[in-house]
Amino acid sequence: MATSTTLDLDTVFEVLSDRRQRYVLYALYRTEGGVMTVDELARRVSRTEGDGRTLVGERHIERIADDLRERHLPTLVDAGIVEYDNRSETVRYYERPALEEWLEHAEYKEGRHPDC
C-alpha cells in the first residue's frame, strides 16, 4: 500500500522531473480525497498544458489518457505514490510529505499554484 513507504529524495526528483507527471500530481494533490478517474486526470492535464483551456478536443484527451495509463501511472505506482485500479480507471493519491514539499515548490515556480 502506498501509505506505508517513505520516498527518498532521488525518487521525488525523478518523479518531478517529468512535466506531465508533475501535472498529474498537481491535480491529485489539489483534489479533495486525492481520487480521480483517468479521464478526469487527462482533462485536468490537458487544461494545465493548455494554460487553462482544453487543447484540441476529445481525441487529444484520449491520447493523454492513453499516455497516463501506459507510461505515467505505472511509474507513479512503482514509486509508491499512487494506487491505480485499472478496472474502475481510478487513481488514488495518498499524503506524501516528502513529495509535497517539493511538489508545492515546483507548482509555484511553474506558476500553476492556485494562488499565482
Side-chain angles (χ1 to χ4, degrees), residues 71-91:
R71 231 171 42 119
H72 300 292
L73 294 177
T75 298
L76 295 171
V77 167
D78 288 347
I81 296 171
V82 302
E83 289 182 351
Y84 172 58
D85 180 349
N86 62 354
R87 289 180 16 183
S88 66
E89 290 272 291
T90 302
V91 182

Side-chain angles (χ1 to χ4, degrees), residues 44-60:
R44 186 81 65 89
V45 168
S46 178
R47 282 193 303 271
T48 303
E49 289 176 350
D51 292 325
R53 67 188 190 298
T54 301
L55 296 174
V56 182
E58 290 304 312
R59 184 64 193 126
H60 180 73

Side-chain angles (χ1 to χ4, degrees), residues 4-5 10 15-17 22 25 32 35 37 39 45 48 57 66-67 72 75-76 84 88 90-91 100 105 107 113 115:
S4 65
T5 60
D10 289 338
V15 166
L16 294 179
S17 71
R22 284 193 310 275
L25 292 171
E32 178 128 2
V35 178
T37 67
D39 288 340
V45 168
T48 303
D66 289 342
D67 187 43
H72 300 292
T75 298
L76 295 171
Y84 172 58
S88 66
T90 302
V91 182
E100 291 162 8
H105 183 71
E107 188 178 32
H113 191 275
D115 296 334

Side-chain angles (χ1 to χ4, degrees), residues 91-109:
V91 182
R92 178 180 304 276
Y93 170 81
Y94 293 99
E95 288 185 12
R96 312 300 265 147
L99 171 67
E100 291 162 8
E101 175 183 356
W102 295 101
L103 183 65
E104 288 175 356
H105 183 71
E107 188 178 32
Y108 177 78
K109 288 301 219 181

Side-chain angles (χ1 to χ4, degrees), residues 9-54:
L9 201 53
D10 289 338
T11 301
V12 169
F13 285 132
E14 184 176 322
V15 166
L16 294 179
S17 71
D18 185 281
R19 178 180 50 92
R20 190 163 275 175
Q21 284 175 182
R22 284 193 310 275
Y23 292 176
V24 165
L25 292 171
Y26 297 159
L28 290 167
Y29 179 58
R30 297 286 176 206
T31 298
E32 178 128 2
V35 178
M36 297 179 86
T37 67
V38 173
D39 288 340
E40 290 169 331
L41 264 176
R43 287 184 187 287
R44 186 81 65 89
V45 168
S46 178
R47 282 193 303 271
T48 303
E49 289 176 350
D51 292 325
R53 67 188 190 298
T54 301

